[in-house]
């Protein structure tokens, strides 16, 4: 079956603009995670969904970041008023349950000019 | 900041040499996972260790979990050019946490 997919693969935007990043998890996976990875660093947790609800959003850096998963499948990470420091690879992962292996998507490489 | 420390940050080895990366935490971990990320790729799950002192092998890769469940290591015997990439350890820092906290990774270069 298909793995986790993310679109777009690359996004270039200007400072101050709004962006949306999409994640399509593995079919049937109830848990979905967003991470952010800067160059030379490990992925850093942003938010975790169990079903439709955000079970833990403690990793979101500020209120410019928001994520939704309205039907418990596809998720969208939304960043308002982008800043240059938001430039990173945004990774999405999904898992089948609470302790299951997380499967990562290819990521969206965001560049804020 | 990172609560899972990983060393070394970089390692260059000649093909055929062995390689080890170490992961340490100040807190006891319920389990630890290891991921490999190829250049330009995304993290790919390798293994999960759960038990104190556990040792698991995957071909040339040997994974260990410390007796106190605060440290772990990944050892590759006789490296090959296909082993190139960054190896991350990751852990849930509390029993209630679902998200993973990643180490900063060890970037392995294998010289032919």
């Amino acid at each position: 079956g298909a793995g986790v997919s993310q679109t777009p693969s690359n996004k270039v935007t200007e400072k101050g603009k709004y962006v949306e990043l999409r994640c399509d998890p593995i079919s049937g996976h109830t848990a979905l995670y967003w991470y952010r990875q800067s160059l030379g660093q490990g992925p850093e947790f942003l938010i975790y969904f169990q079903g439709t609800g955000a079970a833990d959003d403690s990793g979101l850096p500020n209120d410019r970041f928001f994520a939704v998963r309205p039907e418990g499948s596809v998720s969208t990470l939304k960043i308002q008023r982008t800043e240059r420091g938001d430039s990173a690879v945004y990774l999405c992962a999904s898992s089948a349950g609470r302790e299951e292996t997380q499967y990562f998507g290819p990521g969206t490489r965001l560049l804020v000019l | 900041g990172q609560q899972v420390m990983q060393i070394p940050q970089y390692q260059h080895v000649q093909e055929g040499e062995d390689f080890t990366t170490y992961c340490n935490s100040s807190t006891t971990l319920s389990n630890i996972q290891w991921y490999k990320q190829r250049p330009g790729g995304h993290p790919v799950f390798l293994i999960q260790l759960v038990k104190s002192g556990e040792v698991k092998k995957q071909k040339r890769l040997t994974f260990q979990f410390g007796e106190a469940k605060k440290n772990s290591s990944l050892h590759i015997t006789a490296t090959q050019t296909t082993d190139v990439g960054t190896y991350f350890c990751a852990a849930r820092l509390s029993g209630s946490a679902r998200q993973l906290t990643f180490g900063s990774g060890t970037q392995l270069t294998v010289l032919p």
Side-chain angles (χ1 to χ4, degrees), chain B residues 60-87:
Chain B
R60 295 178 294 103
L61 277 61
T62 302
F63 304 84
Q64 289 190 307
F65 202 7
E67 293 290 341
K69 301 182 73 173
K70 290 185 176 182
N71 58 72
S72 182
S73 65
L74 158 58
H75 179 83
I76 303 179
T77 303
T79 54
Q80 300 175 359
T81 54
T82 53
D83 295 326
V84 164
T86 301
Y87 293 84

PDB file of all heavy atoms in Angstrom, chain B residues 60-87:
ATOM      1  N   ARG B  60      24.344  -6.638   9.712  1.00  0.00           N
ATOM      2  CA  ARG B  60      25.574  -6.061  10.246  1.00  0.00           C
ATOM      3  C   ARG B  60      25.317  -5.020  11.335  1.00  0.00           C
ATOM      4  O   ARG B  60      26.259  -4.450  11.877  1.00  0.00           O
ATOM      5  CB  ARG B  60      26.369  -5.429   9.095  1.00  0.00           C
ATOM      6  CG  ARG B  60      26.872  -6.437   8.062  1.00  0.00           C
ATOM      7  CD  ARG B  60      27.609  -5.744   6.909  1.00  0.00           C
ATOM      8  NE  ARG B  60      26.706  -4.906   6.134  1.00  0.00           N
ATOM      9  CZ  ARG B  60      26.639  -3.591   6.210  1.00  0.00           C
ATOM     10  NH1 ARG B  60      27.449  -2.930   7.042  1.00  0.00           N
ATOM     11  NH2 ARG B  60      25.803  -2.906   5.459  1.00  0.00           N
ATOM     12  N   LEU B  61      24.061  -4.755  11.655  1.00  0.00           N
ATOM     13  CA  LEU B  61      23.728  -3.740  12.661  1.00  0.00           C
ATOM     14  C   LEU B  61      23.398  -4.403  13.991  1.00  0.00           C
ATOM     15  O   LEU B  61      22.620  -5.357  14.046  1.00  0.00           O
ATOM     16  CB  LEU B  61      22.521  -2.923  12.196  1.00  0.00           C
ATOM     17  CG  LEU B  61      22.763  -1.758  11.229  1.00  0.00           C
ATOM     18  CD1 LEU B  61      23.370  -2.221   9.916  1.00  0.00           C
ATOM     19  CD2 LEU B  61      21.481  -0.993  10.985  1.00  0.00           C
ATOM     20  N   THR B  62      23.992  -3.889  15.066  1.00  0.00           N
ATOM     21  CA  THR B  62      23.710  -4.374  16.413  1.00  0.00           C
ATOM     22  C   THR B  62      23.244  -3.201  17.269  1.00  0.00           C
ATOM     23  O   THR B  62      23.922  -2.178  17.341  1.00  0.00           O
ATOM     24  CB  THR B  62      24.949  -5.014  17.047  1.00  0.00           C
ATOM     25  OG1 THR B  62      25.408  -6.086  16.231  1.00  0.00           O
ATOM     26  CG2 THR B  62      24.622  -5.540  18.450  1.00  0.00           C
ATOM     27  N   PHE B  63      22.099  -3.362  17.892  1.00  0.00           N
ATOM     28  CA  PHE B  63      21.495  -2.323  18.719  1.00  0.00           C
ATOM     29  C   PHE B  63      21.494  -2.807  20.166  1.00  0.00           C
ATOM     30  O   PHE B  63      21.145  -3.946  20.448  1.00  0.00           O
ATOM     31  CB  PHE B  63      20.045  -2.062  18.286  1.00  0.00           C
ATOM     32  CG  PHE B  63      19.891  -1.694  16.838  1.00  0.00           C
ATOM     33  CD1 PHE B  63      19.822  -2.680  15.866  1.00  0.00           C
ATOM     34  CD2 PHE B  63      19.806  -0.364  16.453  1.00  0.00           C
ATOM     35  CE1 PHE B  63      19.665  -2.356  14.529  1.00  0.00           C
ATOM     36  CE2 PHE B  63      19.638  -0.028  15.112  1.00  0.00           C
ATOM     37  CZ  PHE B  63      19.576  -1.022  14.157  1.00  0.00           C
ATOM     38  N   GLN B  64      21.854  -1.876  21.082  1.00  0.00           N
ATOM     39  CA  GLN B  64      21.852  -2.223  22.496  1.00  0.00           C
ATOM     40  C   GLN B  64      21.100  -1.171  23.291  1.00  0.00           C
ATOM     41  O   GLN B  64      21.168   0.027  22.986  1.00  0.00           O
ATOM     42  CB  GLN B  64      23.287  -2.299  23.030  1.00  0.00           C
ATOM     43  CG  GLN B  64      24.076  -3.494  22.522  1.00  0.00           C
ATOM     44  CD  GLN B  64      25.391  -3.650  23.255  1.00  0.00           C
ATOM     45  OE1 GLN B  64      26.160  -2.697  23.333  1.00  0.00           O
ATOM     46  NE2 GLN B  64      25.652  -4.821  23.776  1.00  0.00           N
ATOM     47  N   PHE B  65      20.414  -1.621  24.332  1.00  0.00           N
ATOM     48  CA  PHE B  65      19.741  -0.737  25.273  1.00  0.00           C
ATOM     49  C   PHE B  65      20.404  -0.965  26.619  1.00  0.00           C
ATOM     50  O   PHE B  65      20.554  -2.103  27.065  1.00  0.00           O
ATOM     51  CB  PHE B  65      18.251  -1.098  25.345  1.00  0.00           C
ATOM     52  CG  PHE B  65      17.354  -0.014  25.849  1.00  0.00           C
ATOM     53  CD1 PHE B  65      17.812   1.280  26.089  1.00  0.00           C
ATOM     54  CD2 PHE B  65      16.016  -0.273  26.081  1.00  0.00           C
ATOM     55  CE1 PHE B  65      16.960   2.278  26.532  1.00  0.00           C
ATOM     56  CE2 PHE B  65      15.140   0.731  26.516  1.00  0.00           C
ATOM     57  CZ  PHE B  65      15.621   2.001  26.745  1.00  0.00           C
ATOM     58  N   GLY B  66      20.810   0.106  27.274  1.00  0.00           N
ATOM     59  CA  GLY B  66      21.546  -0.021  28.517  1.00  0.00           C
ATOM     60  C   GLY B  66      20.735  -0.632  29.642  1.00  0.00           C
ATOM     61  O   GLY B  66      19.506  -0.604  29.630  1.00  0.00           O
ATOM     62  N   GLU B  67      21.464  -1.133  30.627  1.00  0.00           N
ATOM     63  CA  GLU B  67      20.800  -1.787  31.759  1.00  0.00           C
ATOM     64  C   GLU B  67      19.884  -0.819  32.510  1.00  0.00           C
ATOM     65  O   GLU B  67      18.821  -1.205  32.998  1.00  0.00           O
ATOM     66  CB  GLU B  67      21.847  -2.343  32.731  1.00  0.00           C
ATOM     67  CG  GLU B  67      22.688  -3.490  32.176  1.00  0.00           C
ATOM     68  CD  GLU B  67      21.888  -4.762  32.002  1.00  0.00           C
ATOM     69  OE1 GLU B  67      20.810  -4.887  32.630  1.00  0.00           O
ATOM     70  OE2 GLU B  67      22.312  -5.639  31.213  1.00  0.00           O
ATOM     71  N   ALA B  68      20.309   0.438  32.604  1.00  0.00           N
ATOM     72  CA  ALA B  68      19.511   1.447  33.302  1.00  0.00           C
ATOM     73  C   ALA B  68      18.475   2.096  32.384  1.00  0.00           C
ATOM     74  O   ALA B  68      17.733   2.978  32.825  1.00  0.00           O
ATOM     75  CB  ALA B  68      20.422   2.526  33.883  1.00  0.00           C
ATOM     76  N   LYS B  69      18.438   1.681  31.142  1.00  0.00           N
ATOM     77  CA  LYS B  69      17.513   2.231  30.140  1.00  0.00           C
ATOM     78  C   LYS B  69      17.672   3.743  30.007  1.00  0.00           C
ATOM     79  O   LYS B  69      16.705   4.484  29.832  1.00  0.00           O
ATOM     80  CB  LYS B  69      16.062   1.856  30.468  1.00  0.00           C
ATOM     81  CG  LYS B  69      15.832   0.355  30.516  1.00  0.00           C
ATOM     82  CD  LYS B  69      14.403  -0.018  30.798  1.00  0.00           C
ATOM     83  CE  LYS B  69      13.490   0.213  29.643  1.00  0.00           C
ATOM     84  NZ  LYS B  69      12.121  -0.297  29.863  1.00  0.00           N
ATOM     85  N   LYS B  70      18.926   4.187  30.077  1.00  0.00           N
ATOM     86  CA  LYS B  70      19.218   5.603  29.858  1.00  0.00           C
ATOM     87  C   LYS B  70      20.145   5.811  28.673  1.00  0.00           C
ATOM     88  O   LYS B  70      20.423   6.961  28.312  1.00  0.00           O
ATOM     89  CB  LYS B  70      19.862   6.214  31.106  1.00  0.00           C
ATOM     90  CG  LYS B  70      18.928   6.349  32.290  1.00  0.00           C
ATOM     91  CD  LYS B  70      19.622   7.082  33.428  1.00  0.00           C
ATOM     92  CE  LYS B  70      18.666   7.318  34.580  1.00  0.00           C
ATOM     93  NZ  LYS B  70      19.318   8.068  35.681  1.00  0.00           N
ATOM     94  N   ASN B  71      20.646   4.738  28.110  1.00  0.00           N
ATOM     95  CA  ASN B  71      21.529   4.896  26.972  1.00  0.00           C
ATOM     96  C   ASN B  71      21.341   3.742  26.000  1.00  0.00           C
ATOM     97  O   ASN B  71      20.819   2.678  26.344  1.00  0.00           O
ATOM     98  CB  ASN B  71      22.987   5.003  27.413  1.00  0.00           C
ATOM     99  CG  ASN B  71      23.426   3.799  28.211  1.00  0.00           C
ATOM    100  OD1 ASN B  71      23.597   2.717  27.674  1.00  0.00           O
ATOM    101  ND2 ASN B  71      23.578   3.976  29.503  1.00  0.00           N
ATOM    102  N   SER B  72      21.799   3.996  24.776  1.00  0.00           N
ATOM    103  CA  SER B  72      21.658   3.003  23.722  1.00  0.00           C
ATOM    104  C   SER B  72      22.779   3.211  22.713  1.00  0.00           C
ATOM    105  O   SER B  72      23.379   4.288  22.642  1.00  0.00           O
ATOM    106  CB  SER B  72      20.303   3.145  23.029  1.00  0.00           C
ATOM    107  OG  SER B  72      20.130   2.159  22.026  1.00  0.00           O
ATOM    108  N   SER B  73      23.060   2.183  21.961  1.00  0.00           N
ATOM    109  CA  SER B  73      24.073   2.300  20.924  1.00  0.00           C
ATOM    110  C   SER B  73      23.660   1.513  19.687  1.00  0.00           C
ATOM    111  O   SER B  73      22.870   0.564  19.759  1.00  0.00           O
ATOM    112  CB  SER B  73      25.426   1.799  21.430  1.00  0.00           C
ATOM    113  OG  SER B  73      25.375   0.407  21.699  1.00  0.00           O
ATOM    114  N   LEU B  74      24.188   1.981  18.572  1.00  0.00           N
ATOM    115  CA  LEU B  74      24.030   1.294  17.291  1.00  0.00           C
ATOM    116  C   LEU B  74      25.426   1.042  16.743  1.00  0.00           C
ATOM    117  O   LEU B  74      26.212   1.993  16.614  1.00  0.00           O
ATOM    118  CB  LEU B  74      23.219   2.162  16.324  1.00  0.00           C
ATOM    119  CG  LEU B  74      23.374   1.892  14.822  1.00  0.00           C
ATOM    120  CD1 LEU B  74      23.010   0.460  14.476  1.00  0.00           C
ATOM    121  CD2 LEU B  74      22.540   2.876  14.019  1.00  0.00           C
ATOM    122  N   HIS B  75      25.741  -0.187  16.467  1.00  0.00           N
ATOM    123  CA  HIS B  75      27.056  -0.561  15.954  1.00  0.00           C
ATOM    124  C   HIS B  75      26.875  -1.199  14.580  1.00  0.00           C
ATOM    125  O   HIS B  75      26.041  -2.099  14.421  1.00  0.00           O
ATOM    126  CB  HIS B  75      27.735  -1.539  16.919  1.00  0.00           C
ATOM    127  CG  HIS B  75      29.084  -1.988  16.459  1.00  0.00           C
ATOM    128  ND1 HIS B  75      30.223  -1.254  16.669  1.00  0.00           N
ATOM    129  CD2 HIS B  75      29.473  -3.107  15.792  1.00  0.00           C
ATOM    130  CE1 HIS B  75      31.259  -1.892  16.161  1.00  0.00           C
ATOM    131  NE2 HIS B  75      30.830  -3.024  15.620  1.00  0.00           N
ATOM    132  N   ILE B  76      27.658  -0.719  13.623  1.00  0.00           N
ATOM    133  CA  ILE B  76      27.645  -1.324  12.287  1.00  0.00           C
ATOM    134  C   ILE B  76      29.002  -1.984  12.060  1.00  0.00           C
ATOM    135  O   ILE B  76      30.049  -1.329  12.176  1.00  0.00           O
ATOM    136  CB  ILE B  76      27.376  -0.293  11.185  1.00  0.00           C
ATOM    137  CG1 ILE B  76      26.041   0.424  11.439  1.00  0.00           C
ATOM    138  CG2 ILE B  76      27.357  -0.974   9.816  1.00  0.00           C
ATOM    139  CD1 ILE B  76      25.708   1.492  10.407  1.00  0.00           C
ATOM    140  N   THR B  77      28.981  -3.240  11.735  1.00  0.00           N
ATOM    141  CA  THR B  77      30.209  -3.985  11.457  1.00  0.00           C
ATOM    142  C   THR B  77      30.510  -3.926   9.963  1.00  0.00           C
ATOM    143  O   THR B  77      29.617  -4.073   9.136  1.00  0.00           O
ATOM    144  CB  THR B  77      30.031  -5.452  11.882  1.00  0.00           C
ATOM    145  OG1 THR B  77      29.674  -5.502  13.266  1.00  0.00           O
ATOM    146  CG2 THR B  77      31.293  -6.253  11.654  1.00  0.00           C
ATOM    147  N   ALA B  78      31.768  -3.688   9.648  1.00  0.00           N
ATOM    148  CA  ALA B  78      32.213  -3.708   8.244  1.00  0.00           C
ATOM    149  C   ALA B  78      31.323  -2.846   7.354  1.00  0.00           C
ATOM    150  O   ALA B  78      30.597  -3.351   6.493  1.00  0.00           O
ATOM    151  CB  ALA B  78      32.269  -5.141   7.734  1.00  0.00           C
ATOM    152  N   THR B  79      31.399  -1.544   7.567  1.00  0.00           N
ATOM    153  CA  THR B  79      30.527  -0.616   6.855  1.00  0.00           C
ATOM    154  C   THR B  79      30.645  -0.757   5.341  1.00  0.00           C
ATOM    155  O   THR B  79      31.701  -1.116   4.794  1.00  0.00           O
ATOM    156  CB  THR B  79      30.847   0.838   7.231  1.00  0.00           C
ATOM    157  OG1 THR B  79      32.248   1.073   7.009  1.00  0.00           O
ATOM    158  CG2 THR B  79      30.481   1.124   8.665  1.00  0.00           C
ATOM    159  N   GLN B  80      29.546  -0.442   4.691  1.00  0.00           N
ATOM    160  CA  GLN B  80      29.482  -0.416   3.237  1.00  0.00           C
ATOM    161  C   GLN B  80      28.997   0.968   2.811  1.00  0.00           C
ATOM    162  O   GLN B  80      28.422   1.705   3.610  1.00  0.00           O
ATOM    163  CB  GLN B  80      28.522  -1.501   2.727  1.00  0.00           C
ATOM    164  CG  GLN B  80      28.929  -2.902   3.127  1.00  0.00           C
ATOM    165  CD  GLN B  80      27.900  -3.952   2.724  1.00  0.00           C
ATOM    166  OE1 GLN B  80      26.855  -3.648   2.156  1.00  0.00           O
ATOM    167  NE2 GLN B  80      28.216  -5.212   3.014  1.00  0.00           N
ATOM    168  N   THR B  81      29.211   1.300   1.545  1.00  0.00           N
ATOM    169  CA  THR B  81      28.803   2.628   1.075  1.00  0.00           C
ATOM    170  C   THR B  81      27.298   2.824   1.195  1.00  0.00           C
ATOM    171  O   THR B  81      26.814   3.945   1.307  1.00  0.00           O
ATOM    172  CB  THR B  81      29.248   2.865  -0.376  1.00  0.00           C
ATOM    173  OG1 THR B  81      28.762   1.806  -1.192  1.00  0.00           O
ATOM    174  CG2 THR B  81      30.773   2.920  -0.470  1.00  0.00           C
ATOM    175  N   THR B  82      26.545   1.747   1.192  1.00  0.00           N
ATOM    176  CA  THR B  82      25.088   1.847   1.344  1.00  0.00           C
ATOM    177  C   THR B  82      24.669   2.231   2.762  1.00  0.00           C
ATOM    178  O   THR B  82      23.495   2.541   3.007  1.00  0.00           O
ATOM    179  CB  THR B  82      24.415   0.518   0.988  1.00  0.00           C
ATOM    180  OG1 THR B  82      25.032  -0.524   1.752  1.00  0.00           O
ATOM    181  CG2 THR B  82      24.538   0.223  -0.492  1.00  0.00           C
ATOM    182  N   ASP B  83      25.633   2.213   3.700  1.00  0.00           N
ATOM    183  CA  ASP B  83      25.310   2.597   5.082  1.00  0.00           C
ATOM    184  C   ASP B  83      25.319   4.114   5.277  1.00  0.00           C
ATOM    185  O   ASP B  83      24.949   4.610   6.347  1.00  0.00           O
ATOM    186  CB  ASP B  83      26.319   1.972   6.057  1.00  0.00           C
ATOM    187  CG  ASP B  83      26.243   0.459   6.085  1.00  0.00           C
ATOM    188  OD1 ASP B  83      25.132  -0.082   5.918  1.00  0.00           O
ATOM    189  OD2 ASP B  83      27.303  -0.174   6.258  1.00  0.00           O
ATOM    190  N   VAL B  84      25.749   4.841   4.257  1.00  0.00           N
ATOM    191  CA  VAL B  84      25.818   6.301   4.354  1.00  0.00           C
ATOM    192  C   VAL B  84      24.459   6.893   4.727  1.00  0.00           C
ATOM    193  O   VAL B  84      23.430   6.490   4.207  1.00  0.00           O
ATOM    194  CB  VAL B  84      26.311   6.903   3.024  1.00  0.00           C
ATOM    195  CG1 VAL B  84      26.031   8.384   2.954  1.00  0.00           C
ATOM    196  CG2 VAL B  84      27.777   6.614   2.828  1.00  0.00           C
ATOM    197  N   GLY B  85      24.489   7.858   5.639  1.00  0.00           N
ATOM    198  CA  GLY B  85      23.264   8.527   6.057  1.00  0.00           C
ATOM    199  C   GLY B  85      23.418   9.036   7.473  1.00  0.00           C
ATOM    200  O   GLY B  85      24.494   8.965   8.059  1.00  0.00           O
ATOM    201  N   THR B  86      22.333   9.558   8.004  1.00  0.00           N
ATOM    202  CA  THR B  86      22.323  10.026   9.385  1.00  0.00           C
ATOM    203  C   THR B  86      21.476   9.083  10.214  1.00  0.00           C
ATOM    204  O   THR B  86      20.348   8.763   9.840  1.00  0.00           O
ATOM    205  CB  THR B  86      21.781  11.463   9.471  1.00  0.00           C
ATOM    206  OG1 THR B  86      22.597  12.322   8.676  1.00  0.00           O
ATOM    207  CG2 THR B  86      21.794  11.957  10.905  1.00  0.00           C
ATOM    208  N   TYR B  87      22.032   8.666  11.329  1.00  0.00           N
ATOM    209  CA  TYR B  87      21.350   7.729  12.219  1.00  0.00           C
ATOM    210  C   TYR B  87      20.863   8.485  13.449  1.00  0.00           C
ATOM    211  O   TYR B  87      21.635   9.159  14.119  1.00  0.00           O
ATOM    212  CB  TYR B  87      22.297   6.596  12.610  1.00  0.00           C
ATOM    213  CG  TYR B  87      22.642   5.714  11.436  1.00  0.00           C
ATOM    214  CD1 TYR B  87      23.668   6.067  10.560  1.00  0.00           C
ATOM    215  CD2 TYR B  87      21.925   4.559  11.170  1.00  0.00           C
ATOM    216  CE1 TYR B  87      23.974   5.279   9.457  1.00  0.00           C
ATOM    217  CE2 TYR B  87      22.218   3.765  10.080  1.00  0.00           C
ATOM    218  CZ  TYR B  87      23.237   4.133   9.223  1.00  0.00           C
ATOM    219  OH  TYR B  87      23.537   3.354   8.131  1.00  0.00           O
TER     220      TYR B  87
END
